[in-house]
Amino acid sequence: MSLTASVWMLFFVGLWGRTKPLDNGLARTPTMGWLHWERFMCNTNCDADPDNCISERLYMMMADVMAAEGWREAGYQYVCIDDCWMSKSRDAGGRLQADPRRFPGGIKKLADYVHSKGLKLGIYADVGTSTCAGYPGSLAHYDTDAQTFAEWEVDLLKFDGCSMDTTLLEEGYVNMSKALNRTGRPILYSCEWPLYEWPSQKPNYNTIAETCNQWRNFADAYDSWSSVKSILDWTATHQDIIVPSAGPGGWNDPDMLVIGNFGLSRDQQESQMALWAIMAAPLLMSNDLRSICRHSKELLQNRHIIAISQDELGKQGYRTVDHFEVWERPLSQGWLAIAVLNALEIGGPRRFSLKAAPGWKTCTPLCNITQILPQYEEVGVQIGHQVSVNPSGTALLVIMPINDLLF
């Protein structure tokens, strides 16, 4: 079967054969927010670096910026803590506790502060005996930890998979999912389950989708184009397996947006944003919102790209490959988002005809075209259109079959 034929077969499988998602009422569209890990990692030296260490101060400052500078209004809801927030041991009652020097008010106080800004708080734990950075894991404490997070009024749990026998991953992730639901508090459940299972076996995405609201499949995102490209390549290689599981209530998570940091060029930042939207990926930024440049901020808050990300149809896009990479995502109202990535990293801009995109067959014979990146343009009704794309850059477009314009 040709690549084009297999992609269209995948489209129809996604329409009618989707796995039943976790039914907790959350993540009806991909999650949007901010996560500390890639930018701030496990910096716990608050004496030397008080503004950038993992402390309640950092999250309060990010919440302030998100509320004051349009991030909340753009759709970014969650302020997420990652690893290294805990004390090195549980308290006398067997409960997790925040490091008292770095979080003197405790997590409940921090949650109250974040909520007062109209935002939600995410937290981190691990399914195994310890977190990836060596802090206490949740194995044998699932109910206790779930109840603790609920009492703290946490809104999202990122549940990592370090220090765990891979044969017990499914049991651990399912048990924590049940424990969270038993608390009665809506806590979005972000799993790392398939990431840790892939090295030994193909994950069961039916069970994963019934258990989690989003799930990591591949390696952490680093602040480099090679990292972003490796995630895109892995996703495309496995799209026939992972795309059918995604939709309202549960999403494939390719990891953090690193836009606004140091490693991506302007074109590469646009490519990551466009392709994460096409993939119906959670948009979890890891950057310093206090000092982000104007272009990166405008890109991350681009309402046209966010509209593709948050499209109510909830279908993940997919890649077809020619001399360009073409990614396509069906949208509601019969529209289609197309991202054209120039994968070369040499030479100048290259031109691509949209007629070569498999999705162009929906134009019979005309489409109305709106270009979103690299700059917004109402192209109008066309029988075909060429886009110019810089090396490692992406042109992002929405096409509307002309029949939709007649009613």
Side-chain angles (χ1 to χ4, degrees), residues 313 329-337 362 398-401 404-405:
L313 185 61
R329 179 180 177 184
L331 303 177
S332 53
Q333 305 180 68
W335 300 359
L336 184 72
T362 63
V398 173
I399 65 172
M400 295 160 277
D404 289 353
L405 303 177

Side-chain angles (χ1 to χ4, degrees), residues 365-380:
L366 304 174
C367 267
N368 189 75
I369 301 171
T370 301
Q371 180 172 298
I372 297 169
L373 289 174
Q375 60 275 327
Y376 185 85
E377 179 184 359
E378 293 284 357
V379 178

Side-chain angles (χ1 to χ4, degrees), residues 1 4 9 22 29 49 75 108 149 166 177 196 201 238 243 246 268-269 274 295 330 338 343 350-351 369 388 398:
M1 181 183 293
T4 299
M9 181 179 72
L22 174 62
T29 59
D49 197 8
K108 178 59 168 64
F149 299 146
T166 57
S177 182
Y196 289 92
Q201 64 185 30
H238 297 85
V243 167
Q268 291 162 357
Q269 290 186 58
H295 170 72
I338 299 179
R350 302 165 69 211
R351 298 190 68 80
I369 301 171
S388 177
V398 173

Side-chain angles (χ1 to χ4, degrees), residues 95-266:
R95 290 161 55 101
L96 293 173
Q97 52 187 339
D99 183 279
R101 291 191 62 204
R102 294 182 285 117
F103 295 84
I107 301 300
K108 178 59 168 64
K109 177 186 174 182
L110 177 57
D112 289 344
Y113 187 86
V114 170
H115 293 158
S116 75
K117 300 295 181 178
L119 299 165
K120 298 179 179 180
L121 182 69
I123 205 163
Y124 170 99
D126 192 284
V127 70
T129 57
S130 65
T131 73
C132 299
Y135 292 84
S138 292
L139 184 64
H141 297 275
Y142 299 135
D143 283 296
T144 299
D145 291 353
Q147 189 60 45
T148 298
F149 299 146
E151 291 173 6
W152 289 343
E153 297 187 4
V154 166
D155 304 292
L156 177 151
L157 171 63
K158 176 181 175 181
F159 210 40
D160 214 334
C162 284
S163 307
M164 185 64 161
D165 185 333
T166 57
T167 64
L168 301 177
L169 281 171
E170 177 174 340
E171 178 183 354
Y173 276 101
V174 169
N175 285 343
M176 179 54 94
S177 182
K178 293 177 178 177
L180 291 171
N181 288 335
R182 280 194 293 268
T183 69
R185 178 169 180 79
I187 299 177
L188 193 151
Y189 189 32
S190 178
C191 301
E192 308 267 303
W193 176 359
L195 165 65
Y196 289 92
E197 200 164 63
W198 267 112
S200 58
Q201 64 185 30
K202 175 183 171 182
N204 182 341
Y205 280 93
N206 289 332
T207 305
I208 291 169
E210 292 171 353
T211 304
C212 308
N213 291 120
Q214 59 193 45
W215 46 87
R216 284 278 309 285
N217 295 303
F218 189 58
D220 287 1
Y222 281 60
D223 187 15
S224 73
W225 179 239
S226 61
S227 173
V228 172
K229 272 291 293 171
S230 71
I231 292 169
L232 292 171
D233 290 341
W234 188 95
T235 301
T237 300
H238 297 85
Q239 63 188 6
D240 58 331
I241 299 171
I242 68 172
V243 167
S245 65
W251 310 96
N252 289 294
D253 179 7
D255 206 21
M256 298 161 283
L257 293 168
V258 293
I259 295 164
N261 292 317
F262 311 101
L264 301 186
S265 70
R266 178 169 179 156

